[in-house]
Amino acid sequence: MQAAVVSVQTALPFGAERPTKLRRVTNAGAIFDRLYADILALRMPPGMLLQEKRIAEEFNVSRTPVREALLRLSEGGLVDIYPQSGTVVSRVPVSAIPEAVVVRKSLEGTTVERAAEVATAGDIDRLNSIISRQRSLAALGDTSAFHDEDEAFHEAVAEIAGYPGIWTILKTVKVQIDRARRLTLPVLGRMDNVVHEHGLIRDAVAAHDVEAARAAMMHHLSAVIPDVDELRVRYPDYFC
């Protein structure tokens, strides 16, 4: 398949200028990346019909790479393909979230403990900068950028620990958690709570208090479970 050169944009610190980075990906890869991001951000909500023809026209490609991208999304549990009726964005499977939280707690417990052992003053400055940007974004009510900085905080903890690969694994594990959490951020006070919880994690890491760092991270990651129970009542069509 002929490759297409596309501009790939990644999350940047709030207010920073975004450089353009080019990488070569297949047409199917570019389509997958776009749809994946839109589904996780709920720009394509659960139950939305995805039309192959329309997607192909938007990307100016044949339907073949569109089908490849949709198949990958199906394998990741993000779309449901019905041969006779089309493809729809999957509902969030509530039953998958507790296991994903367990995996996330296990792996991020490891990273935050190690980060607390080895963090430097520069590392703490990095966490402080992220928290500061989150505080500003919470005040603005910018949930999308806030979520990006939330990701940046947890990725930073993994990198401080020297375990960046753990974050790569977690991004795949937590896709359904991320979809649910997007619905929690607009809830009054939720973003402020996240900022506070990140501050507690930062404080423990800065104090090199391994036990406190783990406890703060466990508390932070546990919040998604009661949130989902409430969200399922508020958005019954989004969950299964």
Side-chain angles (χ1 to χ4, degrees):
M1 178 181 297
Q2 184 178 4
V5 177
V6 299
S7 174
V8 178
Q9 296 187 332
T10 56
L12 286 180
F14 177 61
E17 295 185 2
R18 182 185 297 280
T20 298
K21 179 181 178 182
L22 296 179
R23 65 178 171 90
R24 186 169 297 275
V25 297
T26 63
N27 289 327
I31 296 167
F32 172 86
D33 288 345
R34 170 79 69 79
L35 297 180
Y36 182 92
D38 285 347
I39 291 171
L40 260 62
L42 299 183
R43 290 186 290 269
M44 290 181 169
M48 179 178 177
L49 178 65
L50 302 181
Q51 299 177 342
E52 286 186 9
K53 181 179 178 181
R54 186 171 181 177
I55 297 171
E57 289 174 348
E58 179 180 352
F59 281 85
N60 193 29
V61 297
S62 70
R63 291 196 183 189
T64 298
V66 175
R67 290 179 185 134
E68 291 181 15
L70 292 176
L71 181 59
R72 285 183 62 193
L73 291 167
S74 176
E75 292 170 347
L78 293 177
V79 303
D80 296 320
I81 300 174
Y82 302 101
Q84 303 304 320
S85 54
T87 300
V88 298
V89 178
S90 301
R91 292 185 179 187
V92 179
V94 174
S95 60
I97 291 178
E99 183 176 15
V101 170
V102 168
V103 174
R104 190 170 183 186
K105 282 183 173 181
S106 177
L107 294 179
E108 291 208 66
T110 298
T111 60
V112 79
E113 285 180 344
R114 182 59 179 165
E117 291 175 345
V118 303
T120 65
D123 293 328
I124 303 306
D125 287 342
R126 179 182 179 184
L127 297 179
N128 284 336
S129 295
I130 296 171
I131 292 171
S132 178
R133 290 193 296 269
Q134 283 195 293
R135 188 175 292 110
S136 297
L137 290 165
L140 293 172
D142 189 338
T143 58
S144 181
F146 184 93
H147 177 80
D148 291 341
E149 292 297 337
D150 185 77
E151 295 285 281
F153 180 87
H154 289 270
E155 182 175 16
V157 171
E159 291 179 349
I160 291 168
Y163 302 141
I166 286 181
W167 183 246
T168 301
I169 294 169
L170 281 172
K171 285 192 291 185
T172 300
V173 171
K174 67 188 188 69
V175 289
Q176 303 300 351
I177 295 176
D178 288 343
R179 296 172 73 198
R181 289 189 66 253
R182 288 281 187 165
L183 294 169
T184 71
L185 292 180
V187 174
L188 183 64
R190 180 56 189 151
M191 287 190 286
D192 292 334
N193 287 342
V194 171
V195 171
H196 175 69
E197 290 163 6
H198 282 180
L200 294 177
I201 295 168
R202 181 272 324 277
D203 291 346
V205 171
H208 302 292
D209 189 331
V210 173
E211 291 185 6
R214 183 179 182 84
M217 181 66 80
M218 295 303 100
H219 173 75
H220 176 56
L221 297 179
S222 295
V224 71
I225 299 297
D227 284 343
V228 169
D229 290 339
E230 181 180 345
L231 290 171
R232 193 176 188 182
V233 175
R234 295 177 59 190
Y235 302 94
D237 293 338
Y238 279 19
F239 295 87
C240 63

mmCIF file of all heavy atoms in Angstrom, residues 27-56:
data_model
loop_
_atom_site.group_PDB
_atom_site.id
_atom_site.type_symbol
_atom_site.label_atom_id
_atom_site.label_comp_id
_atom_site.label_asym_id
_atom_site.label_seq_id
_atom_site.Cartn_x
_atom_site.Cartn_y
_atom_site.Cartn_z
ATOM 1 N N ASN A 27 -1.857 4.948 4.748
ATOM 2 C CA ASN A 27 -3.167 5.581 4.777
ATOM 3 C C ASN A 27 -4.018 4.993 5.902
ATOM 4 O O ASN A 27 -4.704 5.713 6.619
ATOM 5 C CB ASN A 27 -3.873 5.378 3.430
ATOM 6 C CG ASN A 27 -3.239 6.206 2.325
ATOM 7 O OD1 ASN A 27 -2.746 7.302 2.571
ATOM 8 N ND2 ASN A 27 -3.259 5.687 1.110
ATOM 9 N N ALA A 28 -3.977 3.665 6.050
ATOM 10 C CA ALA A 28 -4.750 3.009 7.103
ATOM 11 C C ALA A 28 -4.300 3.494 8.480
ATOM 12 O O ALA A 28 -5.117 3.695 9.383
ATOM 13 C CB ALA A 28 -4.615 1.498 6.998
ATOM 14 N N GLY A 29 -2.993 3.685 8.646
ATOM 15 C CA GLY A 29 -2.470 4.165 9.919
ATOM 16 C C GLY A 29 -2.938 5.571 10.234
ATOM 17 O O GLY A 29 -3.283 5.881 11.381
ATOM 18 N N ALA A 30 -2.957 6.445 9.224
ATOM 19 C CA ALA A 30 -3.411 7.815 9.436
ATOM 20 C C ALA A 30 -4.889 7.851 9.806
ATOM 21 O O ALA A 30 -5.308 8.608 10.690
ATOM 22 C CB ALA A 30 -3.167 8.641 8.171
ATOM 23 N N ILE A 31 -5.673 7.037 9.129
ATOM 24 C CA ILE A 31 -7.104 6.970 9.421
ATOM 25 C C ILE A 31 -7.327 6.418 10.825
ATOM 26 O O ILE A 31 -8.145 6.940 11.588
ATOM 27 C CB ILE A 31 -7.830 6.110 8.371
ATOM 28 C CG1 ILE A 31 -7.720 6.770 6.998
ATOM 29 C CG2 ILE A 31 -9.293 5.901 8.747
ATOM 30 C CD1 ILE A 31 -8.117 5.862 5.849
ATOM 31 N N PHE A 32 -6.598 5.362 11.165
ATOM 32 C CA PHE A 32 -6.707 4.781 12.507
ATOM 33 C C PHE A 32 -6.389 5.823 13.571
ATOM 34 O O PHE A 32 -7.127 5.959 14.558
ATOM 35 C CB PHE A 32 -5.760 3.592 12.639
ATOM 36 C CG PHE A 32 -5.671 3.044 14.040
ATOM 37 C CD1 PHE A 32 -6.585 2.106 14.497
ATOM 38 C CD2 PHE A 32 -4.676 3.477 14.910
ATOM 39 C CE1 PHE A 32 -6.510 1.607 15.791
ATOM 40 C CE2 PHE A 32 -4.602 2.994 16.201
ATOM 41 C CZ PHE A 32 -5.520 2.050 16.642
ATOM 42 N N ASP A 33 -5.283 6.547 13.399
ATOM 43 C CA ASP A 33 -4.878 7.538 14.397
ATOM 44 C C ASP A 33 -5.976 8.581 14.614
ATOM 45 O O ASP A 33 -6.268 8.960 15.748
ATOM 46 C CB ASP A 33 -3.586 8.237 13.962
ATOM 47 C CG ASP A 33 -2.363 7.340 14.062
ATOM 48 O OD1 ASP A 33 -2.450 6.282 14.717
ATOM 49 O OD2 ASP A 33 -1.326 7.693 13.463
ATOM 50 N N ARG A 34 -6.560 9.062 13.524
ATOM 51 C CA ARG A 34 -7.599 10.089 13.636
ATOM 52 C C ARG A 34 -8.838 9.545 14.341
ATOM 53 O O ARG A 34 -9.370 10.174 15.258
ATOM 54 C CB ARG A 34 -7.972 10.585 12.253
ATOM 55 C CG ARG A 34 -9.219 11.483 12.209
ATOM 56 C CD ARG A 34 -8.940 12.888 12.634
ATOM 57 N NE ARG A 34 -8.112 13.520 11.627
ATOM 58 C CZ ARG A 34 -8.604 14.012 10.459
ATOM 59 N NH1 ARG A 34 -9.890 13.921 10.201
ATOM 60 N NH2 ARG A 34 -7.799 14.593 9.599
ATOM 61 N N LEU A 35 -9.320 8.394 13.894
ATOM 62 C CA LEU A 35 -10.526 7.829 14.488
ATOM 63 C C LEU A 35 -10.295 7.451 15.948
ATOM 64 O O LEU A 35 -11.161 7.659 16.805
ATOM 65 C CB LEU A 35 -10.990 6.609 13.692
ATOM 66 C CG LEU A 35 -11.406 6.865 12.238
ATOM 67 C CD1 LEU A 35 -11.850 5.565 11.577
ATOM 68 C CD2 LEU A 35 -12.506 7.908 12.145
ATOM 69 N N TYR A 36 -9.119 6.894 16.243
ATOM 70 C CA TYR A 36 -8.771 6.515 17.617
ATOM 71 C C TYR A 36 -8.848 7.732 18.533
ATOM 72 O O TYR A 36 -9.451 7.675 19.612
ATOM 73 C CB TYR A 36 -7.368 5.907 17.619
ATOM 74 C CG TYR A 36 -6.867 5.416 18.960
ATOM 75 C CD1 TYR A 36 -7.065 4.091 19.345
ATOM 76 C CD2 TYR A 36 -6.167 6.249 19.823
ATOM 77 C CE1 TYR A 36 -6.585 3.618 20.569
ATOM 78 C CE2 TYR A 36 -5.688 5.801 21.041
ATOM 79 C CZ TYR A 36 -5.901 4.476 21.401
ATOM 80 O OH TYR A 36 -5.438 4.015 22.610
ATOM 81 N N ALA A 37 -8.234 8.826 18.106
ATOM 82 C CA ALA A 37 -8.233 10.040 18.921
ATOM 83 C C ALA A 37 -9.645 10.587 19.092
ATOM 84 O O ALA A 37 -10.026 11.020 20.190
ATOM 85 C CB ALA A 37 -7.333 11.092 18.283
ATOM 86 N N ASP A 38 -10.435 10.560 18.029
ATOM 87 C CA ASP A 38 -11.789 11.105 18.104
ATOM 88 C C ASP A 38 -12.694 10.249 18.989
ATOM 89 O O ASP A 38 -13.560 10.771 19.697
ATOM 90 C CB ASP A 38 -12.393 11.216 16.703
ATOM 91 C CG ASP A 38 -11.816 12.381 15.912
ATOM 92 O OD1 ASP A 38 -11.145 13.236 16.525
ATOM 93 O OD2 ASP A 38 -12.036 12.446 14.690
ATOM 94 N N ILE A 39 -12.502 8.934 18.966
ATOM 95 C CA ILE A 39 -13.309 8.053 19.812
ATOM 96 C C ILE A 39 -12.938 8.241 21.277
ATOM 97 O O ILE A 39 -13.814 8.344 22.145
ATOM 98 C CB ILE A 39 -13.142 6.580 19.381
ATOM 99 C CG1 ILE A 39 -13.785 6.349 18.002
ATOM 100 C CG2 ILE A 39 -13.760 5.639 20.406
ATOM 101 C CD1 ILE A 39 -13.492 4.991 17.395
ATOM 102 N N LEU A 40 -11.650 8.299 21.585
ATOM 103 C CA LEU A 40 -11.236 8.474 22.978
ATOM 104 C C LEU A 40 -11.671 9.829 23.528
ATOM 105 O O LEU A 40 -11.998 9.944 24.709
ATOM 106 C CB LEU A 40 -9.721 8.324 23.115
ATOM 107 C CG LEU A 40 -9.255 6.948 23.626
ATOM 108 C CD1 LEU A 40 -9.654 5.845 22.659
ATOM 109 C CD2 LEU A 40 -7.758 6.932 23.856
ATOM 110 N N ALA A 41 -11.696 10.844 22.662
ATOM 111 C CA ALA A 41 -12.093 12.178 23.112
ATOM 112 C C ALA A 41 -13.605 12.373 23.101
ATOM 113 O O ALA A 41 -14.089 13.444 23.455
ATOM 114 C CB ALA A 41 -11.433 13.233 22.227
ATOM 115 N N LEU A 42 -14.339 11.335 22.688
ATOM 116 C CA LEU A 42 -15.802 11.366 22.595
ATOM 117 C C LEU A 42 -16.307 12.348 21.549
ATOM 118 O O LEU A 42 -17.483 12.725 21.563
ATOM 119 C CB LEU A 42 -16.445 11.666 23.955
ATOM 120 C CG LEU A 42 -16.166 10.652 25.068
ATOM 121 C CD1 LEU A 42 -16.926 11.058 26.328
ATOM 122 C CD2 LEU A 42 -16.564 9.246 24.642
ATOM 123 N N ARG A 43 -15.416 12.788 20.651
ATOM 124 C CA ARG A 43 -15.908 13.530 19.490
ATOM 125 C C ARG A 43 -16.728 12.595 18.603
ATOM 126 O O ARG A 43 -17.585 13.040 17.845
ATOM 127 C CB ARG A 43 -14.740 14.143 18.708
ATOM 128 C CG ARG A 43 -14.054 15.297 19.440
ATOM 129 C CD ARG A 43 -13.001 15.960 18.585
ATOM 130 N NE ARG A 43 -11.851 15.115 18.375
ATOM 131 C CZ ARG A 43 -10.777 15.099 19.142
ATOM 132 N NH1 ARG A 43 -10.722 15.875 20.216
ATOM 133 N NH2 ARG A 43 -9.752 14.312 18.869
ATOM 134 N N MET A 44 -16.429 11.307 18.710
ATOM 135 C CA MET A 44 -17.245 10.255 18.112
ATOM 136 C C MET A 44 -17.792 9.435 19.276
ATOM 137 O O MET A 44 -17.113 8.559 19.807
ATOM 138 C CB MET A 44 -16.416 9.378 17.168
ATOM 139 C CG MET A 44 -15.991 10.081 15.900
ATOM 140 S SD MET A 44 -15.046 8.980 14.811
ATOM 141 C CE MET A 44 -15.003 9.983 13.317
ATOM 142 N N PRO A 45 -18.994 9.721 19.732
ATOM 143 C CA PRO A 45 -19.530 9.083 20.938
ATOM 144 C C PRO A 45 -19.993 7.653 20.696
ATOM 145 O O PRO A 45 -20.207 7.237 19.541
ATOM 146 C CB PRO A 45 -20.715 9.983 21.290
ATOM 147 C CG PRO A 45 -21.162 10.536 19.979
ATOM 148 C CD PRO A 45 -19.905 10.734 19.181
ATOM 149 N N PRO A 46 -20.137 6.882 21.757
ATOM 150 C CA PRO A 46 -20.656 5.515 21.628
ATOM 151 C C PRO A 46 -21.988 5.500 20.877
ATOM 152 O O PRO A 46 -22.859 6.332 21.118
ATOM 153 C CB PRO A 46 -20.835 5.076 23.080
ATOM 154 C CG PRO A 46 -19.812 5.861 23.827
ATOM 155 C CD PRO A 46 -19.794 7.201 23.157
ATOM 156 N N GLY A 47 -22.104 4.545 19.947
ATOM 157 C CA GLY A 47 -23.322 4.420 19.154
ATOM 158 C C GLY A 47 -23.296 5.163 17.839
ATOM 159 O O GLY A 47 -24.182 4.975 17.000
ATOM 160 N N MET A 48 -22.297 6.008 17.621
ATOM 161 C CA MET A 48 -22.227 6.766 16.376
ATOM 162 C C MET A 48 -21.919 5.838 15.203
ATOM 163 O O MET A 48 -21.051 4.979 15.281
ATOM 164 C CB MET A 48 -21.146 7.838 16.475
ATOM 165 C CG MET A 48 -20.976 8.665 15.222
ATOM 166 S SD MET A 48 -19.711 9.957 15.437
ATOM 167 C CE MET A 48 -19.699 10.658 13.784
ATOM 168 N N LEU A 49 -22.637 6.015 14.097
ATOM 169 C CA LEU A 49 -22.416 5.226 12.894
ATOM 170 C C LEU A 49 -21.223 5.782 12.125
ATOM 171 O O LEU A 49 -21.139 6.987 11.871
ATOM 172 C CB LEU A 49 -23.658 5.246 12.009
ATOM 173 C CG LEU A 49 -23.564 4.486 10.678
ATOM 174 C CD1 LEU A 49 -23.395 2.989 10.930
ATOM 175 C CD2 LEU A 49 -24.789 4.761 9.823
ATOM 176 N N LEU A 50 -20.289 4.902 11.759
ATOM 177 C CA LEU A 50 -19.129 5.299 10.964
ATOM 178 C C LEU A 50 -19.325 4.802 9.536
ATOM 179 O O LEU A 50 -19.439 3.597 9.312
ATOM 180 C CB LEU A 50 -17.846 4.709 11.571
ATOM 181 C CG LEU A 50 -17.555 5.092 13.025
ATOM 182 C CD1 LEU A 50 -16.255 4.456 13.479
ATOM 183 C CD2 LEU A 50 -17.505 6.608 13.194
ATOM 184 N N GLN A 51 -19.366 5.717 8.597
ATOM 185 C CA GLN A 51 -19.625 5.372 7.210
ATOM 186 C C GLN A 51 -18.313 5.277 6.434
ATOM 187 O O GLN A 51 -17.578 6.262 6.321
ATOM 188 C CB GLN A 51 -20.544 6.410 6.571
ATOM 189 C CG GLN A 51 -21.897 6.522 7.247
ATOM 190 C CD GLN A 51 -22.768 7.601 6.639
ATOM 191 O OE1 GLN A 51 -22.294 8.491 5.948
ATOM 192 N NE2 GLN A 51 -24.065 7.520 6.907
ATOM 193 N N GLU A 52 -18.025 4.091 5.914
ATOM 194 C CA GLU A 52 -16.776 3.879 5.178
ATOM 195 C C GLU A 52 -16.634 4.876 4.029
ATOM 196 O O GLU A 52 -15.551 5.446 3.826
ATOM 197 C CB GLU A 52 -16.730 2.461 4.620
ATOM 198 C CG GLU A 52 -16.470 1.380 5.644
ATOM 199 C CD GLU A 52 -16.294 0.025 4.993
ATOM 200 O OE1 GLU A 52 -16.196 -0.036 3.742
ATOM 201 O OE2 GLU A 52 -16.254 -0.979 5.726
ATOM 202 N N LYS A 53 -17.700 5.069 3.286
ATOM 203 C CA LYS A 53 -17.636 5.950 2.121
ATOM 204 C C LYS A 53 -17.266 7.371 2.517
ATOM 205 O O LYS A 53 -16.417 8.011 1.885
ATOM 206 C CB LYS A 53 -18.967 5.942 1.389
ATOM 207 C CG LYS A 53 -18.993 6.826 0.142
ATOM 208 C CD LYS A 53 -20.348 6.763 -0.551
ATOM 209 C CE LYS A 53 -20.363 7.689 -1.779
ATOM 210 N NZ LYS A 53 -21.692 7.657 -2.444
ATOM 211 N N ARG A 54 -17.894 7.858 3.560
ATOM 212 C CA ARG A 54 -17.633 9.225 3.999
ATOM 213 C C ARG A 54 -16.202 9.387 4.503
ATOM 214 O O ARG A 54 -15.546 10.398 4.220
ATOM 215 C CB ARG A 54 -18.623 9.605 5.105
ATOM 216 C CG ARG A 54 -18.533 11.051 5.547
ATOM 217 C CD ARG A 54 -19.687 11.395 6.471
ATOM 218 N NE ARG A 54 -19.630 12.778 6.887
ATOM 219 C CZ ARG A 54 -20.546 13.356 7.657
ATOM 220 N NH1 ARG A 54 -21.602 12.649 8.067
ATOM 221 N NH2 ARG A 54 -20.428 14.623 8.017
ATOM 222 N N ILE A 55 -15.722 8.412 5.247
ATOM 223 C CA ILE A 55 -14.340 8.470 5.746
ATOM 224 C C ILE A 55 -13.358 8.423 4.582
ATOM 225 O O ILE A 55 -12.370 9.163 4.549
ATOM 226 C CB ILE A 55 -14.078 7.313 6.732
ATOM 227 C CG1 ILE A 55 -14.974 7.452 7.966
ATOM 228 C CG2 ILE A 55 -12.608 7.290 7.148
ATOM 229 C CD1 ILE A 55 -14.942 6.257 8.893
ATOM 230 N N ALA A 56 -13.625 7.539 3.619
ATOM 231 C CA ALA A 56 -12.748 7.429 2.445
ATOM 232 C C ALA A 56 -12.695 8.745 1.679
ATOM 233 O O ALA A 56 -11.627 9.179 1.223
ATOM 234 C CB ALA A 56 -13.236 6.300 1.538
#
